[in-house]
């Protein structure tokens, strides 16, 4: 028995000695086994725990598991934990270099994980890798086949994360040339900076204010006012001087304040909703259910809005019932002549059957505005509310157009205010706008 015990002892020593010699850590093996089991039959919370635990081991085989299982999981909380673990692992120099090599190989052929690689590297890359990432993105996004969906999704992910690591990534992605030339990309960066709870994000917003106008300028002013309580509006020099004096002792607030004094007067507006954009489409429902007082009131409000537009604003007007008609099918300056011409067009518009809301909104999207103001009294007849909301919100991820909606309650529409709210409120909420119900 003693000899047999000695034999088993020697065998165990050989096995475990070999395992350690090959760099196999029993804790790692246990974490991998737990991870693989969790991804076969466990609940999302269990998969999150297993993913987080595995992310403690900076090894290439761990990275591969996170990429091929965690980052493609059907549950968003699992995907988020896998991406966060991957970013943490990339703080290790060897892992980061391996990820960077994978990223660069992916530039030459289809790389299924390039978004996840970008998420990790944007927050952790060293100076030379950061410069290379920016140049790679400049090349990828400048061509005719450049796809904004992935970088915008990455920026949105970091806005959700909202910490110092997220700020590092956003600062890197801000250096991409598209920030200077593309409205949607620039607005996504600004929206992310507004959600990152860091003093550094305030500096990013103030720097961006100097070269911004229209809706993006408004985004920045709203964010800075809510975060700091200061009311310098669009005066970049005042914000910069105040920040230079107060940055060192500023404490980021736990709750944000109001964007403006509610009694503060504003310029152009539609039913009291300020028009801050420089490129605007106004949409009026001219279906027969709007006849009488509702259409007269709506036309009067629309004409007043057009009259209030500064000449620097570019605009178009779309009217719709069963058919959809744009006044110009392009955005034109709000000159006195243009206002007079479109006023006649609106006043003479007759009513028709049906409510082609979806087609009207898609026509507005084609005009590439910054903001859409949409008035209607009824349910769409060219798609369900859910279909329209989903389709427009998906397309708008890479447009970043604000959709403001006004629901006019009439006694001729089934569902009345409740039906309008179910359609228009989420349409505005998911597309950076505001909803107003008019009874």
């Amino acid at each position: 028995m003693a000899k047999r015990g000695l034999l088993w002892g020697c065998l165990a020593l050989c096995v475990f000695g070999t395992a350690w010699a090959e760099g196999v850590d029993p804790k790692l093996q246990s974490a991998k086994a737990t991870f693989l089991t969790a991804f076969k039959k466990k609940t999302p919370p269990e998969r999150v725990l297993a993913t987080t635990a595995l992310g403690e081991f900076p090894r290439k085989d761990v990275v591969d598991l996170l990429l091929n299982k965690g980052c493609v999981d059907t549950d968003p909380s699992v995907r988020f934990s896998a991406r966060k673990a991957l970013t943490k692992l990339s703080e290790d120099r060897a892992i980061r270099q391996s990820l960077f090599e994978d990223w660069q190989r992916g530039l030459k052929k289809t790389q299924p994980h390039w978004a996840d690689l970008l998420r990790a590297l944007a927050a952790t890359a060293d100076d030379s890798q950061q410069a290379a990432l920016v140049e790679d993105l400049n090349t990828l996004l400048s061509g005719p086949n450049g796809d904004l969906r992935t970088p915008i999704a990455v920026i949105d992910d970091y806005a959700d994360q909202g910490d110092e690591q997220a700020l590092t990534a956003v600062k890197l992605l801000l250096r991409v040339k598209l920030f200077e030339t593309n409205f949607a990309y620039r607005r996504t960066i600004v929206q992310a900076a507004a959600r990152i709870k860091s003093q550094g994000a305030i500096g990013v917003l103030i720097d961006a204010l100097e070269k911004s106008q229209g809706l993006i300028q408004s985004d920045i002013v709203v964010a800075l006012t809510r975060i700091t309580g200061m009311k310098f509006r669009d005066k970049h020099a005042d914000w910069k001087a105040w920040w230079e004096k107060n940055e060192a002792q500023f404490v980021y607030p736990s709750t944000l304040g109001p964007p403006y004094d509610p009694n503060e007067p504003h310029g152009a507006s539609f039913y009291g909703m300020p028009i801050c954009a420089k490129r605007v489409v106004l949409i009026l429902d001219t279906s027969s259910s709007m006849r009488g007082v509702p259409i007269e009131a709506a036309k009067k409000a629309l004409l007043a809005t057009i009259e209030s537009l500064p000449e620097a604003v570019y605009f178009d007007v779309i009217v719709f019932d069963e058919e959809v008609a744009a006044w110009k099918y392009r955005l034109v300056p709000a000159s006195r002549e243009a206002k007079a011409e479109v006023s006649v067009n609106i006043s003479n518009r007759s009513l028709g059957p049906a409510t082609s809301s979806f087609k009207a909104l898609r026509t507005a999207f084609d005009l590439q505005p910054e903001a859409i103001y949409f008035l209607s009294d009824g349910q769409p007849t060219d798609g369900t509310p859910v279909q329209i909301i989903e389709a427009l919100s998906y397309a708008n991820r890479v447009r970043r157009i604000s959709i403001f909606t006004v629901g006019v309650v009439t006694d001729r529409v089934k569902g009345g205010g409740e039906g309008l709210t179910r359609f228009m409120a989420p349409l505005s909420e998911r597309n950076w706008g505001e909803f107003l119900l008019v009874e």
Side-chain angles (χ1 to χ4, degrees):
M1 290 295 291
K3 289 183 179 179
R4 183 178 296 178
L6 181 60
L7 178 62
W8 278 110
C10 290
L11 181 60
L13 182 61
C14 289
V15 170
F16 284 104
T18 302
W20 281 111
E22 292 176 353
V24 177
D25 180 348
K27 291 183 180 179
L28 168 62
Q29 294 303 91
S30 175
K32 287 171 69 174
T34 301
F35 178 88
L36 292 170
T37 300
F39 275 78
K40 284 182 180 178
K41 53 186 178 182
K42 299 295 184 181
T43 63
E46 290 173 301
R47 297 202 297 277
V48 167
L49 288 173
T51 298
T52 303
L54 189 63
E56 296 296 322
F57 300 91
R59 286 174 53 111
K60 186 65 169 71
D61 54 345
V62 169
V63 168
D64 292 340
L65 282 173
L66 291 172
L67 285 170
N68 293 311
K69 290 190 176 292
C71 290
V72 296
D73 193 86
T74 56
D75 187 89
S77 66
V78 179
R79 294 196 301 272
F80 181 81
S81 64
R83 291 164 182 166
K84 199 165 184 181
L86 196 63
T87 302
K88 182 178 179 181
L89 289 177
S90 67
E91 293 172 357
D92 179 90
R93 183 184 296 273
I95 293 294
R96 185 168 65 246
Q97 183 59 33
S98 175
L99 291 173
F100 185 71
E101 290 168 2
D102 285 347
W103 159 268
Q104 296 223 301
R105 279 194 295 271
L107 301 177
K108 300 175 183 177
K109 61 179 181 179
T110 303
Q111 166 56 266
H113 298 301
W114 85 275
D116 297 308
L117 295 171
L118 177 59
R119 283 184 186 94
L121 291 168
T124 59
D126 59 30
D127 290 345
S128 61
Q129 288 173 341
Q130 283 192 346
L133 280 171
V134 170
E135 286 308 308
D136 290 341
L137 286 168
N138 284 337
T139 301
L140 284 169
L141 299 175
S142 63
N145 298 320
D147 184 3
L148 277 179
R149 197 164 298 279
T150 295
I152 280 181
V154 170
I155 297 166
D156 282 339
D157 285 345
Y158 273 112
D160 291 338
Q161 187 171 321
D163 56 13
E164 291 293 337
Q165 193 177 65
L167 179 62
T168 299
V170 166
K171 283 183 173 180
L172 181 142
L173 294 165
L174 182 150
R175 291 160 53 188
V176 175
K177 289 178 182 178
L178 219 57
F179 180 79
E180 301 292 335
T181 60
N182 185 277
F183 170 81
Y185 188 90
R186 185 163 63 253
R187 193 176 192 200
T188 307
I189 289 281
V190 166
Q191 288 171 335
R195 293 172 58 194
I196 294 173
K197 295 176 174 59
S198 164
Q199 285 178 281
I202 298 173
V204 169
L205 290 169
I206 291 173
D207 289 344
L209 180 62
E210 185 176 15
K211 296 181 179 179
S212 297
Q213 60 177 349
L215 204 54
I216 295 176
Q217 182 186 79
S218 176
D219 288 342
I220 295 171
V221 171
V222 167
L224 288 174
T225 304
R226 296 192 69 193
I227 295 166
T228 68
M230 298 294 104
K231 296 181 180 180
F232 301 128
R233 297 195 63 81
D234 59 352
K235 298 178 177 62
H236 172 260
D238 290 351
W239 281 112
K240 187 174 181 180
W242 174 82
W243 189 236
E244 287 174 352
K245 183 178 179 180
N246 291 276
E247 179 179 5
Q249 64 267 23
F250 183 82
V251 177
Y252 202 99
S254 56
T255 57
L256 301 181
Y260 299 111
D261 180 340
N263 297 315
E264 185 176 5
H266 49 70
S269 65
F270 186 60
Y271 281 85
M273 295 186 288
I275 296 179
C276 303
K278 294 295 185 183
R279 298 173 60 82
V280 177
V281 176
L282 304 159
I283 305 178
L284 175 66
D285 180 351
T286 56
S287 60
S288 56
S289 59
M290 286 279 291
R291 65 184 179 275
V293 173
I295 191 62
E296 294 305 319
K299 285 184 175 181
K300 182 178 178 180
L302 179 58
L303 292 173
T305 293
I306 292 169
E307 185 60 33
S308 71
L309 293 176
E311 192 163 348
V313 171
Y314 282 65
F315 81 109
D316 197 5
V317 175
I318 293 173
V319 290
F320 75 99
D321 36 66
E322 183 176 34
E323 300 296 326
V324 174
W327 169 52
K328 289 291 188 183
Y329 288 96
R330 68 181 190 279
L331 302 183
V332 299
S335 64
R336 184 171 297 279
E337 294 76 17
K339 292 176 181 180
E341 182 182 335
V342 76
S343 295
V344 173
N345 186 280
I346 293 167
S347 299
N348 293 338
R349 172 71 179 190
S350 58
L351 306 184
T355 310
S356 297
S357 303
F358 194 13
K359 186 177 180 182
L361 286 161
R362 284 183 297 171
T363 301
F365 265 52
D366 291 342
L367 298 174
Q368 300 182 357
E370 296 177 13
I372 294 169
Y373 290 79
F374 173 79
L375 181 147
S376 179
D377 76 324
Q379 295 278 4
T381 56
D382 59 345
T384 69
V386 171
Q387 289 171 338
I388 295 171
I389 293 166
E390 290 300 323
L392 292 176
S393 300
Y394 178 79
N396 206 19
R397 285 291 297 274
V398 293
R399 302 288 194 92
R400 245 49 183 193
I401 300 166
S402 282
I403 302 178
F404 297 85
T405 55
V406 176
V408 178
V409 180
T410 68
D411 57 7
R412 306 180 185 98
V413 177
K414 184 178 179 180
E418 183 180 348
L420 289 169
T421 300
R422 283 198 302 267
F423 171 42
M424 291 186 170
L427 179 62
S428 288
E429 182 180 343
R430 291 182 57 180
N431 292 280
W432 307 285
E434 181 182 341
F435 166 65
L436 176 67
L437 192 66
V438 178
E439 301 192 40

